[in-house]
Amino acid sequence: MKIESFYTFKIWVLLILSAFSQLGQGFYLPGSYPHKYGIGDYLNVKVNSLTSIDTEMPFSYYSLPFCQPKEGIKDSRENLGELLMGDRIENSPYRFKMYTNETDIFTCQTKPLSAEEFKLLKKRIDEMYQVNVILDNLPAIRYTKKEEFMLRWTGYPVGVKVQEGYYVFNHLKFTVLVHKYEDTNVARVMGTGDAAEVIPMGNSGSDTPGYMVVGFEVVPCNFQHNKDSLKNLNMYDKYPASINCDPSTVATAIKENEPLTFTYEVSFVERDIKWPSRWDAYLKMEGAKVHWFSILNSLMVITFLAGIVLVIFLRTVRRDLTRYEELDKEAQAQMNEELSGWKLVVGDVFRAPTNPSLLCVMVGDGVQILGMAVVTILFAALGFMSPASRGTLITGMLFFYMVLGIAAGYVAVRLWRTIFVGDHKGWVSVSWKVACFFPGIAFLILTTLNFLLWGSHSTGAIPFSLFVILILLWFCISVPLTLVGGYFGAKAPHIEYPVRTNQIPREIPPQKYPSWLLVLGAGTLPFGTLFIELFFIMSSIWMGRVYYVFGFLFIVMMLLVVVCAEVSLVLTYMHLCVEDWKWWWKSFFASGSVAIYIFLYSINYLIFDLKSLSGPVSATLYLGYSLFMVVAIMLATGTVGFLSSFWFVHYLFSSVKLD
């Protein structure tokens, strides 16, 4: 019963996310349930955008002179996340029959290559573009042997350059791994992942033998077709001669004013791979042992450091409080005259900071971003947003971000009222600023980058219609929810300060070193929590690798929150001890400064790991997306530091006996 209830809950969550992502186009559950194919049933192969780690700009498959399907090019249904990621899934000319091996299938012969097409093909080969084909929601995987290791790749190259010649892979050897269908009632209802069809029931029901697709492999090769043998051949006819696919050799270089000929073969192999395990081949990344060891090592070191910081911090504060509270009033007065420290800033510690509105807005947006990250990663760790569910991660992030606008408005307005001692005037303005500050920055960055992608005719460019949808989601859902949160924040009681603020500000003694230098340096400890995990995330985004250890990412993020809070607490206490009562912004940037180190790491990753990244447009795209990510991290981590410091200062001064 527990298992059934869990799957029922999972189905409902996926239905809600799918309904949101489709925007009224119907449900879409990628890769969630098995699809039964009878022997001889047609399997529709699809193609995704061409991708390259050399340029990071995806292009449509049919932007190159490849064979087109008989029925014409048709776009597949795609959710919001897929469109934002640059995926453009379309039908392909490749057509299989379940459990029917076919060899030497003629696909087409293109028109003679024009000068422009010839130049474009050479450019795409030089830029190492990969063709991504999909069968039953599984990307084609390619194996290559290097020394004693077997390397895994998704997709296959457009072609290869050998000496001065360019060779297009014009023959594909597909291998489809299948497993006998295991009947499940829910699969009969829900259908498959990326297919538009539902499972055909038929009259015989489960008595009909059927198979599930559990693997999809491809071997590309270059073959020299006989021109005379191509006469009178139609699509899917058998090529008259036998084709020997040898990926280690090339035979026919592309030439201007000469056509390209494409063929393929497919074989079916039955494997003992269960449906839930069919993604294992994609998740077995090279260097997995190093990955796990690095994360565990990082967790142990950071936990140890956090424990030391916490123990020292608690001992120091407790000693100060104990000494201060054990003295009588006369001794306290004498102590105040003789000693310096946080006790002397009691009349200034809650003085309003400079730019209080901006601080409230940034804290509100930070709460929204942090909440979105926690909920999204938690759902991903539970399996709701697996790599099989293409685009669901981005869709879920947008959904949770908009819903958490309520929390952003509430926190920002309540903090605003607390700073101004209960005055609720201006809460609408604060709520509007919260709803527009971070989304406005994101809109500015993404629009600028989108013009670059539009100029390059890349599928990574957000279509104008999707731009309109995003703006409508922003102003019709996110802004109203933020205003609702602000309304509740205005109605909620403000947090009362435990001490009174003097009318005349206390002069801050000259410091031996700039306090902001210590604040900026404090970001190194939070950065140490996540820099190893950051490498794998960056590799997933920019190197096309699959990221799947969301459970570890959730643990690392929780550790990051703890370390950010502790670092900010320690620095706030240090500033108060030297009679520096301007702690508001410093507590925010003490933990928020980790964003500086992440941006520097991004530049380092660009220089040393993305060496092949070519052209100013690609580098601008990389730096633009990195800047967007860094701003979000700065707001989230800064909010953690500020809120923990606010709680600490409030607790510290409410624990001291004062007249």
Side-chain angles (χ1 to χ4, degrees):
M1 289 297 292
K2 289 184 178 179
I3 295 176
E4 291 180 2
S5 61
F6 172 76
Y7 277 108
T8 304
F9 171 71
K10 186 172 179 177
I11 290 169
W12 276 108
V13 172
L14 286 170
L15 286 174
I16 293 169
L17 287 176
S18 301
F20 170 78
S21 66
Q22 283 299 299
L23 299 172
Q25 295 180 21
F27 295 125
Y28 178 72
L29 302 176
S32 297
Y33 298 99
H35 189 157
K36 173 185 175 182
Y37 295 95
I39 296 176
D41 286 354
Y42 280 109
L43 304 179
N44 295 318
V45 180
K46 300 185 179 183
V47 288
N48 203 344
S49 300
L50 305 172
T51 55
S52 168
I53 61 172
D54 189 57
T55 65
E56 301 296 348
M57 288 189 293
F59 290 96
S60 170
Y61 173 82
Y62 293 108
S63 64
L64 294 181
F66 291 143
C67 298
Q68 298 186 4
K70 276 185 177 181
E71 63 273 17
I73 301 170
K74 296 179 182 178
D75 292 333
S76 295
R77 293 185 302 170
E78 293 174 306
N79 58 40
L80 196 59
E82 286 179 298
L83 293 173
L84 290 174
M85 290 292 290
D87 287 344
R88 295 295 183 272
I89 301 176
E90 299 160 312
N91 58 337
S92 80
Y94 303 110
R95 189 179 63 181
F96 307 155
K97 292 180 181 179
M98 173 55 78
Y99 226 117
T100 304
N101 295 339
E102 296 177 290
T103 58
D104 313 329
I105 302 299
F106 172 74
T107 311
C108 79
Q109 185 178 46
T110 66
K111 296 177 181 178
L113 293 178
S114 65
E116 186 178 347
E117 289 174 331
F118 178 67
K119 183 180 177 182
L120 184 62
L121 267 174
K122 292 198 300 181
K123 183 181 179 183
R124 294 291 180 258
I125 292 172
D126 283 334
E127 292 171 339
M128 300 185 293
Y129 268 87
Q130 301 278 319
V131 179
N132 299 291
V133 288
I134 302 169
L135 177 64
D136 197 46
N137 201 41
L138 282 178
I141 196 168
R142 176 171 57 96
Y143 293 94
T144 57
K145 193 170 184 180
K146 187 176 182 181
E147 296 177 355
E148 297 180 357
F149 299 98
M150 188 67 73
L151 303 178
R152 303 175 183 85
W153 311 85
T154 52
Y156 62 91
V158 171
V160 64
K161 181 182 180 182
V162 178
Q163 296 177 351
E164 296 302 318
Y166 289 86
Y167 300 83
V168 169
F169 289 124
N170 58 0
H171 181 80
L172 300 176
K173 181 179 180 181
F174 294 107
T175 303
V176 182
L177 309 182
V178 297
H179 183 77
K180 281 190 177 179
Y181 179 75
E182 297 172 357
D183 193 10
T184 54
N185 292 327
V186 70
R188 293 180 168 276
V189 179
M190 301 308 299
T192 186
D194 63 21
E197 312 88 359
V198 296
I199 298 171
M201 294 294 294
N203 296 325
S204 56
S206 60
D207 295 334
T208 305
Y211 292 89
M212 303 176 293
V213 177
V214 294
F216 187 35
E217 300 173 3
V218 62
V219 177
C221 48
N222 179 267
F223 181 78
Q224 185 171 7
H225 297 89
N226 190 334
K227 293 181 180 180
D228 295 333
S229 301
L230 300 175
K231 295 178 180 179
N232 302 321
L233 281 182
N234 296 317
M235 184 176 283
Y236 307 126
D237 286 349
K238 190 173 178 63
Y239 184 74
S242 177
I243 297 176
N244 180 28
C245 181
D246 184 3
S248 62
T249 61
V250 290
T252 308
I254 59 172
K255 296 178 182 177
E256 192 175 337
N257 296 322
E258 288 195 9
L260 297 175
T261 303
F262 292 92
T263 53
Y264 72 93
E265 60 185 281
V266 58
S267 60
F268 289 81
V269 179
E270 191 169 345
R271 291 283 176 84
D272 189 22
I273 302 174
K274 302 292 184 182
W275 171 266
S277 304
R278 69 179 195 153
W279 274 87
D280 288 357
Y282 302 86
L283 303 182
K284 291 177 181 176
M285 295 188 298
E286 301 303 320
K289 291 183 179 179
V290 177
H291 179 82
W292 294 105
F293 175 77
S294 299
I295 294 177
L296 287 173
N297 182 59
S298 176
L299 293 176
M300 292 172 62
V301 171
I302 295 304
T303 305
F304 178 70
L305 290 175
I308 293 177
V309 170
L310 191 60
V311 168
I312 294 175
F313 171 73
L314 289 177
R315 287 185 60 186
T316 305
V317 175
R318 186 174 298 173
R319 186 177 65 246
D320 275 2
L321 283 174
T322 304
R323 287 182 57 197
Y324 194 74
E325 291 179 354
E326 286 178 352
L327 300 175
D328 56 22
K329 292 183 179 180
E330 293 181 4
Q332 285 181 19
Q334 183 180 0
M335 183 179 177
N336 287 342
E337 294 177 0
E338 296 176 354
L339 299 178
S340 61
W342 59 266
K343 287 81 63 175
L344 301 182
V345 296
V346 65
D348 299 275
V349 70
F350 289 109
R351 190 177 300 280
T354 54
N355 298 318
S357 176
L358 180 60
L359 179 64
C360 295
V361 168
M362 293 175 73
V363 170
D365 279 329
V367 167
Q368 191 173 8
I369 295 168
L370 182 65
M372 173 206 69
V374 171
V375 176
T376 303
I377 295 174
L378 181 61
F379 271 74
L382 293 174
F384 292 116
M385 299 175 184
S386 70
S389 305
R390 192 179 293 107
T392 309
L393 190 67
I394 302 296
T395 305
M397 290 173 68
L398 281 172
F399 175 77
F400 293 131
Y401 180 82
M402 289 191 297
V403 170
L404 287 167
I406 296 176
Y410 177 85
V411 171
V413 171
R414 195 171 183 199
L415 178 60
W416 169 266
R417 293 192 63 219
T418 299
I419 291 174
F420 289 98
V421 198
D423 187 8
H424 64 273
K425 291 181 181 179
W427 72 267
V428 175
S429 174
V430 172
S431 299
W432 264 103
K433 290 175 182 176
V434 171
C436 297
F437 180 72
F438 178 70
I441 293 174
F443 187 79
L444 181 64
I445 294 174
L446 295 179
T447 302
T448 304
L449 298 180
N450 215 51
F451 278 118
L452 295 176
L453 291 169
W454 268 335
S456 303
H457 304 288
S458 169
T459 60
I462 302 174
F464 179 76
S465 58
L466 185 58
F467 244 112
V468 174
I469 291 173
L470 291 174
I471 292 173
L472 289 175
L473 290 174
W474 179 9
F475 285 101
C476 297
I477 298 179
S478 183
V479 172
L481 287 177
T482 307
L483 290 171
V484 169
Y487 173 79
F488 286 116
K491 293 295 182 183
H494 69 280
I495 302 171
E496 295 185 1
Y497 294 145
V499 293
R500 293 189 300 271
T501 301
N502 297 334
Q503 292 184 352
I504 302 174
R506 179 185 179 87
E507 185 179 354
I508 300 174
Q511 309 296 323
K512 295 180 181 179
Y513 49 84
S515 59
W516 281 103
L517 191 62
L518 188 60
V519 168
L520 295 177
T524 53
L525 190 57
F527 178 72
T529 311
L530 54 80
F531 83 96
I532 294 176
E533 196 66 25
L534 192 62
F535 170 78
F536 291 99
I537 295 173
M538 299 283 277
S539 298
S540 173
I541 296 173
W542 300 109
M543 303 290 282
R545 297 172 184 170
V546 179
Y547 187 86
Y548 64 99
V549 284
F550 290 105
F552 272 100
L553 180 60
F554 186 77
I555 295 172
V556 169
M557 192 173 67
M558 290 298 101
L559 274 176
L560 176 65
V561 169
V562 172
V563 173
C564 284
E566 291 175 345
V567 166
S568 184
L569 290 184
V570 172
L571 257 72
T572 299
Y573 181 70
M574 291 174 63
H575 284 116
L576 293 179
C577 284
V578 294
E579 302 177 39
D580 184 356
W581 46 267
K582 294 183 178 180
W583 59 272
W584 299 77
W585 281 106
K586 291 170 185 174
S587 66
F588 186 93
F589 286 110
S591 53
S593 61
V594 66
I596 297 173
Y597 298 97
I598 293 176
F599 191 69
L600 293 175
Y601 179 83
S602 300
I603 296 174
N604 173 80
Y605 189 85
L606 172 64
I607 296 172
F608 294 104
D609 292 280
L610 291 179
K611 296 177 183 178
S612 60
L613 200 64
S614 62
V617 174
S618 299
T620 305
L621 287 171
Y622 174 84
L623 293 174
Y625 287 125
S626 298
L627 181 63
F628 170 67
M629 177 182 71
V630 160
V631 171
I633 292 173
M634 185 266 291
L635 292 172
T637 54
T639 297
V640 171
F642 171 78
L643 292 178
S644 58
S645 289
F646 183 86
W647 167 84
F648 163 68
V649 173
H650 190 279
Y651 172 79
L652 182 63
F653 284 91
S654 63
S655 303
V656 180
K657 297 176 183 177
L658 296 169
D659 291 336

